[in-house]
Each structure stands twice: as C-alpha cells, then as structure tokens.
Amino acid sequence: MSARPPSRNSSVPDGPRRTSDTGPGRRQSAAPPPRTGASHGVRAARPLADGDRERLLAGAHHDPHALLGAHSVRGGMELRVLRPFARSVTMLAKGLRAELHEDGDGFFSGVLPLRTAPEYQLLVAYDSGETSDEASDGDAGDASDGNRARIEIEVQDPYRFLPSLGELDLHLIGEGRHEELWRALGAHPMTHQGVTGTRFTVWAPNAQGVRVVGDFNYWDGTGYPMRSLGSSGVWELFLPGVGEGALYKFDIARPDGSHTLRADPMARRTEVPPANASIVTESHHVWRDDEWLARRADRTVHESPLSVYEVHLGSWRPGLTYRQLAVQLPAYVKDLGFTHVELMPVAEHPFGGSWGYQVTGFYAPTARMGTPDDFRHLVDALHRAGIGVIVDWVPAHFPKDDWALAQFDGRPLYEHADPARAAHPDWGTLEFDYGRKEVRNFLVANAVYWCEEFHIDGLRVDAVASMLYLDYSREQGEWTPNEHGGRENLDAVGFLQEMNATVYRRCPGVVTVAEESTAWDGVTRATHHVGPGGFGGLGFGLKWNMGWMHDSLGYVAHEPVHRKFHHNEMTFSMVYAYSENYVLPISHDEVVHGKRSLVSKMPGDWWQQRANHRAYLGFMWAHPGKQLLFMGQEFAQGAEWSEGHGPDWWLLDPSYAAEADHRGVRDLVRELNTVYAATPALWQRDTVPEGFAWVVGDAAEDNVFAFLRHAADGSPLLAVSNFSPVVRHEYRLGVPDAAQAWTEVLNTDAARYGGGDVLNPDPLKPESVASHGRPGSIQLTLPPLATVWLRPV
C-alpha cells in the first residue's frame, strides 16, 4: 500500500511529517524496527467479521468505537486501529511498546496481556514518499521496504475516548427543546479525558454512517468514522490534536450506500465563498458593551424612539472588513442620529447576488468580511456608540446546493418530505419542515444564538407571509389544506410562536420584527392571546407596514395635479394603524429591480424631486410607527442600489457640482432624527389611538395633511404636509389650545436642506376662531412640496 504524500502544513496535527519537522511527538526511523509483534507479547486478534470490516471501510458503520480502540477480551486487551496508508502501528503506554499486526486495508490489531486499557498513544509509521538516498539525513531503509525512508508520528487514538456529548444534551435534542443547540452540535475545541482536541457532532438520522474529513486527514475520512448516539440521530467523534482553524466537512453514507460530502449545518465559521468548508472556531472576543445591554433591558421598544438605517454591509463601503466597518459605520450612523442599524443577512451564503437571503451557514457570519470575532467587534463598536443592531434573519427557506442542507443525509431532512411542500415556487429554494421538532429546534436555537452570541438587539424575520400560507404563490391544486381545511400553515404558526416566546424569555430587550405583507391577524399580539381567527398571536414585537409603504409611495409618484384623486392613499393607513405595532419601511426592496431610488420616484424637475423627497421623509418621520430608511436614500441617491458598488458616495464629494443638493437632504435626515429623538410625542404613544389625531385629513384639493401627535403627558406636535407645488399663505388649522402659541421646529423647505426657505420664523399666535372641530386656530404659511413640524412655545 503506497503512502500518502506528507503535508507541509504546520496546522495539520495528525499526518506524516518530514524529517525537517520539529516538535513533540514527531519522530523518524530511517531503518524501521522489525515487525515482530509476537515478541512483544502481542498475539493475533480475532478477525473482524466481514460485514463489520466492509462497513467500516465503506464509512457505513453506526458504532465504530465497538470495533476500534481497546476492548477487554478473554486473555487480555484487544486493540484495533484503522490507519489507511500506514506501514506499521505501535501502541505506546507507560513502560510498554507493542507493535500491532497488520491485517490489511489499513487495519492493525493485536491482543496484549493486559487486564485493562492503559492511557496509550499510537506510533504510526508511513512511507515518506522518498527513497532513502533522497532523504535529508541520508539514512537508508531496508531492502524489504523498497529502499523507502520512514516517517513516524505519535498520535492519540480517537477510539479510546468515551462519548463527549452528555445525556442531557441528547435528551433535549430528542425532545426538540435544546435552546443552546450550538453548544451541543457542530465542532467544539475542548479538553476531554485530559486531552485537547475537537468534538465533532452532527444530526443525520437517515445516514448509514458518517465520517469526519478535513485538512487534518487529507480529506480522507476512512480512518475517522463517527459513532451514532442512538435514537437521537446524532453522530459524534472526538479528535485529539485537532484545533481552531482546521477545515472540515462530514462524509455521509446515504441510505442507498452512496456518499455525500457536506458542510456542517451548525458550523460557526466557514471558508470565504465560493469555498464552502466549515472551520473549527471558538470566540476570544471580550465584550465591552455591558452598559448598553443593561440599558437595553430597561427600555420598551414600543414606547421608545426607533429610527433604523438599513445597511448591506458588503456594499456600504465596498471592500471594508468587519473591523474597518467598526471604525466608519458607527460614526456615520451616530452622526445622522439613527438609533439602530438593520443589517441585511450576515449569515453565510454562497451567492452574493442573493444579498444574503439564501443562507447555507445559519450559524456563521459571512467570512467575506472577516471572522466571527471580527463581526462581534463590529457589533460591540456599534453598541458603544449607542446604536442598536438588528439583523435580517431568514428561516423561510434555504438553497439547494448539494454540499449544504438539501437532502442532507440522503433524504429530506431540513426540508418537508412532500416535494410540493418543500419547493418554494418563487425563489427556487426549499422550505423548512416546521413540523419536525429537530428542524424547529435548529431554527429557534439559531434565533437565540444570534442574540446571545453576537449581542444582536433585534431580528427582522424575512418573508413571514411565505411561511404562514400553504397556498403562497401556488395555484389551486398545487397545495393541500391543513387538517381544518384551511390555508394556514399550522406548523409554521407554531414555530414562529415558539421562536418569539423563546427569544423574548431568554433575551431581555431584544425585539423581533416581521416582514409580513398580508392581513394576518395578530402578528404582534402575544402568543397566549387568541384572536378572532382562533389563533394565538405570533408574538412579534413589530411588523413592517407594507400597506403604508405601497400606498404612500404610490401617492407621491403621481404628479401633484393628480394627487387629489389619490388622497386616501395617504390617509388609509390610519384606519388600521393600531391593529399591529408597525415599522414604516423604505427598504432595499423599494430601490432595486427597476423600482428606482426614492428621489427618482418623485415627479417633476430635480428641484421638485428633492422637495418631494424631503416632504415625504418629514411626513414619514411624523406618522405613527417607527421608521426605516435604506442606505443611499438619506442623501437622495438618484441611481438604484446595486450590491456591486453600493451607495454613490461621490455625490457628497465637494468637487461634485450638485454636492450641496445631496448634502442638504442628508442634513435634513440628521435633523429629523434629532428632533424625533427629543420629542416623545413622536414615539411614546405609537401603538395607541390616543397618540394621534387628525386636524385635517380631507383636504384633497389642497394636497394637504395635518395631524397632531401626543406624548404620554399630553404634550403635542403638529405635523403639516403640503404636497402641492404652490405656497399656501394664511392656511388655517385648528389647534387644541386657543391660548398657546406654536413655533416651527422643522421645515423641510429650509434653504440649508436645499429648499426655497419659505418659513414661519415667528411664533404663531392662536386666534379664538374655531376650526376643524377645535376652539382655536392658527394661520401659517405652507411652503411648496414641504412638511412643517410645530410645537407649543
């Protein structure tokens, strides 16, 4: 049997080394000792049964530890080793050196006259791949070895170790209730029975056998079969000497006997795509955000300011690493006054063009910008700047890559067994089987993982509607009703309820946000409160208000002369504003694929487009609900977003002729956030009707909207938007107090924002003239295409 070429990679702990290698446990014998196991008290072991031998070599044995390693037998202790390509194997123990018999196919065995198994190591000899006269030290091998130099390495035997996964872990996995699943499954550096190495565990209940392969064994797992831990479906192997930085995968024998090479579903670090191996890792980051976490738990998100800047990390400043982003992003976001960033998916994904929404590594931040600890450093930096971090989380589907989750162990495992239920009709992906307890556990624990391991403050759950409905994007006859004859996916409902309840229980101060585009009742209702439809609430903290987004963008896209015919598109949101706890999203989805950027949706010339843009943002920030704005829209980028180049930062370069136009919009966004944060009326009662009152909602001919926002103590803010291109002088609006003057605190037409500077510079004194159902009123000048905020002096 020929020897494998020795590795020159110093990170490989268990492979042949050249004579120039140094370090403990490495030796070379140029003239191998005679192979006389019997003279050392080693007698032949009983041969393996043919079936066991074949299954071990095929990687299809469920219990290799029962055959390999040391076992008591009549007359002594039997030791069996599987070391493909080895020339000899010798057992080393205190006061003992015993060479094993070669049994062929890489097997070595022997029976030693011992009552119990001692702590032992293996001295494994390989051909070096060189003839003796080529060897660096000039030593020669004997003629019987073909004049080959010999390399010997001293290693631990993985098959002398007890299982390294506890019974409680297995019980919780079996129940589908292991809330810290990432601590049980995957690859974990550890010390086990006094020896350092890595524990590998994977859930593959349909596999005939599983082997660990990696750069530590030349990607040949023949000598590294894992053991099945019973009905849990979990396979385990502790590999001594393997540590951080090692690359690995699982070689799975499918039920039909064929093999598939898979990345670890629980991998916490991966190679940089398109490479897809998993990497052994553990965190060494020292968090410095204790003050942030302590304050976060004291806040109620519904009664706090929440202004979100949505970011695609890979293209915000293309080419930056997590650590470089940690310098630039917190400073930029803090300067603009946003309270949170929302990161488009950071979990590992093979195709950058998916923007992260087709995930293969649910437990690993993408390696494109650095290591998991580098990502922790970014989150830490944002927290220390006073900025919360929300991440997009994608439990709705996963791609079909043959090295990832699809038919992971040869049969549908993470996906639904029914192909019609498994295939996502829109995205060419697979839907999770939410009815399988282990899959539900995988996802619930994943949500907790991001919050606990990376200190994430919120999860925005993508594509919730596609999860909730069995007929989502399916025609009649392409879906099967649930047990009650309905279209609701009851398994998905149960999963979302469990996820939300678990996250809120374990992670104080964290908020979950649903991207849900239908009228499903109770998205943000508590899970224990049953609604009219008979379902408990889904338990989310917030929900994206997709209706407001579509209606309001539709309104402002019309020429002002036509807006009166669409006036209700701006007022209809208040009919249902308190049915859920809402976020108003102008997200990445609205500025790609031909939809145009926000400013480019606006009608008119460049001045009018920017004025519309500013007026819209002023209306949005004053409207009940939290707000979210995608990067680039804060400075009125004219082009659609592309993940290839990101925002057009050059628009803000002083050398650009129209730089002031874009900088003015960004200055407005900063002022919106500043006044918003300082005005409880704009956020303290977002979710109750008492926080809002129309002053005038029916001025369709004028294209004017005016409403009051109220804080918990009753202090008001008056917001007025004029979406017509004409100045309206002495425009009368009713106010609640006939004795209180009002002053302008924000005007989107101010010259410093790029407007015409039509202002109300002096306090507006009320008159005892009833208007809009109120005893007093004020008269003010409404600038064209602008929003004005006023509050009592």
Side-chain angles (χ1 to χ4, degrees):
M1 182 179 291
S2 61
R4 222 171 246 276
S7 170
R8 294 184 182 271
N9 182 349
S10 61
S11 68
V12 180
D14 186 9
R17 296 292 191 276
R18 291 193 172 277
T19 56
S20 59
D21 290 343
T22 60
R26 297 174 184 162
R27 311 171 186 172
Q28 175 167 6
S29 170
R35 308 187 68 194
T36 54
S39 67
H40 290 271
V42 180
R43 57 187 176 87
R46 58 183 172 79
L48 279 175
D50 289 343
D52 285 333
R53 186 185 185 96
E54 291 169 2
R55 285 196 297 274
L56 280 172
L57 291 172
H61 203 290
H62 73 287
D63 191 13
H65 289 71
L67 304 173
L68 303 177
H71 301 275
S72 294
V73 296
R74 179 177 296 179
M77 185 200 73
E78 182 181 79
L79 179 62
R80 180 171 284 107
V81 175
L82 177 54
R83 287 278 159 170
F85 305 103
R87 294 302 305 268
S88 68
V89 177
T90 302
M91 189 191 83
L92 304 176
K94 187 175 182 180
L96 178 64
R97 178 186 178 103
E99 184 176 350
L100 303 181
H101 295 272
E102 182 176 1
D103 300 330
D105 295 325
F107 286 101
F108 298 83
S109 67
V111 177
L112 287 75
L114 300 171
R115 292 184 178 180
T116 58
E119 291 188 3
Y120 67 90
Q121 290 79 42
L122 301 174
L123 185 64
V124 186
Y126 296 90
D127 281 344
S128 72
E130 295 178 345
T131 58
S132 61
D133 57 357
E134 294 172 330
S136 60
D137 59 2
D139 290 339
D142 61 19
S144 64
D145 286 318
N147 206 30
R148 294 283 178 182
R150 183 75 59 85
I151 289 176
E152 293 181 337
I153 59 170
E154 187 176 313
V155 297
Q156 296 280 350
D157 183 2
Y159 298 93
R160 77 173 182 87
F161 293 90
L162 297 171
S164 53
L165 195 63
E167 289 297 324
L168 178 59
D169 286 315
L170 292 173
H171 172 76
L172 292 173
I173 291 170
E175 291 288 320
R177 297 288 181 180
H178 202 309
E179 294 177 2
E180 297 181 356
L181 189 65
W182 68 92
R183 301 189 191 279
L185 298 182
H188 290 269
M190 63 188 304
T191 298
H192 181 48
Q193 294 178 216
V195 176
T196 59
T198 295
R199 180 190 70 203
F200 294 90
T201 44
V202 63
W203 179 60
N206 298 307
Q208 290 190 35
V210 184
R211 301 184 289 200
V212 182
V213 301
D215 59 0
F216 43 83
N217 60 14
Y218 307 105
W219 300 98
D220 182 353
T222 305
Y224 296 80
M226 305 175 76
R227 63 177 144 209
S228 170
L229 297 180
S231 61
S232 66
V234 174
W235 300 77
E236 180 265 358
L237 183 63
F238 174 73
L239 289 184
V242 176
E244 285 188 78
L247 306 181
Y248 72 99
K249 286 187 176 184
F250 295 113
D251 176 7
I252 298 174
R254 300 182 178 105
D256 65 1
S258 63
H259 282 254
T260 180
L261 198 59
R262 299 290 173 138
D264 183 359
M266 301 293 298
R268 290 169 292 127
R269 184 181 173 191
T270 70
E271 288 188 286
V272 178
N276 53 46
S278 306
I279 302 178
V280 177
T281 189
E282 58 183 342
S283 176
H284 301 284
H285 180 75
V286 178
W287 288 96
R288 294 186 289 164
D289 63 350
D290 292 351
E291 182 181 347
W292 168 269
L293 293 182
R295 287 189 295 107
R296 183 188 75 180
D298 294 336
R299 293 194 296 264
T300 301
V301 68
H302 314 98
E303 299 174 353
S304 303
L306 185 75
S307 182
V308 183
Y309 183 61
E310 188 187 21
V311 178
H312 180 259
L313 281 180
S315 66
W316 184 72
R317 297 272 190 183
L320 294 189
T321 65
Y322 289 129
R323 289 186 178 269
Q324 291 168 333
L325 285 162
V327 175
Q328 297 190 30
L329 184 61
Y332 183 81
V333 175
K334 185 175 183 178
D335 174 66
L336 290 184
F338 287 97
T339 66
H340 290 70
V341 293
E342 180 175 312
L343 308 179
M344 291 168 66
V346 295
E348 194 58 271
H349 50 283
F351 176 49
S354 78
W355 309 333
Y357 291 98
Q358 295 193 8
V359 178
T360 48
F362 281 81
Y363 284 79
T366 180
R368 291 169 173 86
M369 290 166 281
T371 69
D373 270 358
D374 292 337
F375 179 65
R376 288 180 175 92
H377 179 80
L378 171 59
V379 176
D380 211 348
L382 286 160
H383 283 173
R384 285 183 283 113
I387 300 162
V389 181
I390 301 168
V391 297
D392 279 12
W393 186 55
V394 192
H397 63 128
F398 57 92
K400 297 179 179 179
D401 299 71
D402 60 7
W403 50 266
L405 297 183
Q407 295 220 351
F408 182 75
D409 59 3
R411 291 178 181 165
L413 190 64
Y414 290 90
E415 67 271 38
H416 203 283
D418 180 355
R421 286 279 298 274
H424 198 291
D426 288 349
W427 303 316
T429 53
L430 296 170
E431 298 183 15
F432 282 101
D433 182 359
Y434 305 107
R436 186 163 193 164
K437 62 182 184 296
E438 297 93 345
V439 174
R440 200 165 57 242
N441 192 172
F442 173 81
L443 293 171
V444 171
N446 186 243
V448 174
Y449 171 77
W450 286 100
C451 298
E452 293 190 354
E453 289 292 320
F454 295 99
H455 292 198
I456 297 303
D457 305 292
L459 299 172
R460 178 267 195 183
V461 183
D462 182 65
V464 171
S466 75
M467 302 163 65
L468 290 175
Y469 297 98
L470 295 169
D471 63 345
Y472 184 87
S473 286
R474 293 176 172 90
E475 301 296 332
Q476 191 68 32
E478 296 178 346
W479 62 279
T480 303
N482 64 33
E483 59 195 64
H484 305 297
R487 56 196 284 254
E488 301 85 3
N489 186 337
L490 303 181
D491 293 334
V493 171
F495 156 66
L496 291 171
Q497 291 173 329
E498 181 182 348
M499 181 276 297
N500 280 311
T502 305
V503 167
Y504 277 103
R505 171 170 49 82
R506 290 188 60 117
C507 309
V510 167
V511 63
T512 60
V513 186
E515 186 214 14
E516 205 285 314
S517 55
T518 73
W520 183 280
D521 177 61
V523 172
T524 59
R525 190 170 58 235
T527 57
H528 59 280
H529 289 164
V530 178
F535 295 102
L538 296 183
F540 285 94
L542 297 167
K543 170 182 172 174
W544 275 19
N545 193 335
M546 310 296 281
W548 171 88
M549 180 269 296
H550 284 294
D551 289 347
S552 63
L553 289 180
Y555 174 86
V556 295
H558 290 292
E559 293 285 347
V561 69
H562 300 301
R563 285 174 176 168
K564 63 183 178 181
F565 302 111
H566 301 274
H567 195 78
N568 66 307
E569 292 176 9
M570 291 290 264
T571 60
F572 181 66
S573 59
M574 292 311 304
V575 173
Y576 60 86
Y578 305 108
S579 61
E580 303 280 4
N581 305 327
Y582 282 116
V583 174
L584 311 179
I586 300 299
S587 72
H588 64 278
D589 276 330
E590 309 318 313
V591 296
V592 291
H593 299 327
K595 295 181 182 179
R596 298 175 294 172
S597 69
L598 182 57
V599 73
S600 297
K601 297 177 191 290
M602 307 299 175
D605 59 23
W606 176 231
W607 191 96
Q608 291 175 323
Q609 284 184 309
R610 286 183 293 118
N612 274 296
H613 183 101
R614 295 191 305 268
Y616 181 78
L617 293 179
F619 177 85
M620 172 182 174
W621 254 251
H623 190 285
K626 314 306 180 183
Q627 59 275 341
L628 175 145
L629 189 66
F630 183 59
M631 63 184 195
Q633 312 316 301
E634 78 274 16
F635 58 83
Q637 172 176 315
E640 287 189 340
W641 168 66
S642 165
E643 79 279 359
H645 61 74
D648 290 333
W649 296 109
W650 57 270
L651 295 172
L652 298 169
D653 191 306
S655 65
Y656 175 57
E659 173 265 343
D661 296 347
H662 298 279
R663 192 170 297 277
V665 174
R666 191 170 69 173
D667 289 344
L668 170 65
V669 170
R670 181 187 298 108
E671 188 68 11
L672 285 169
N673 280 326
T674 300
V675 178
Y676 168 79
T679 309
L682 290 174
W683 42 261
Q684 203 170 54
R685 303 173 88 180
D686 264 332
T687 60
V688 293
E690 294 79 9
F692 176 90
W694 281 113
V695 174
V696 54
D698 57 357
E701 292 293 331
D702 297 336
N703 295 348
V704 170
F705 306 87
F707 52 84
L708 288 161
R709 299 295 310 277
H710 295 282
D713 63 4
S715 57
L717 180 132
L718 175 61
V720 189
S721 295
N722 175 21
F723 284 101
S724 65
V726 298
V727 179
R728 301 195 181 277
H729 298 281
E730 298 183 346
Y731 200 85
R732 185 175 296 277
L733 294 172
V735 291
D737 189 337
Q740 200 168 33
W742 293 72
T743 186
E744 192 174 87
V745 294
L746 184 138
N747 187 324
T748 67
D749 192 53
R752 63 183 180 276
Y753 307 140
D757 218 29
V758 177
L759 309 175
N760 294 276
D762 302 318
L764 300 170
K765 297 179 180 180
E767 303 175 29
S768 297
V769 177
S771 181
H772 302 113
R774 291 171 173 81
S777 58
I778 58 173
Q779 286 185 308
L780 69 161
T781 300
L782 299 184
L785 301 175
T787 293
V788 177
W789 292 356
L790 307 103
R791 64 184 171 206
V793 177

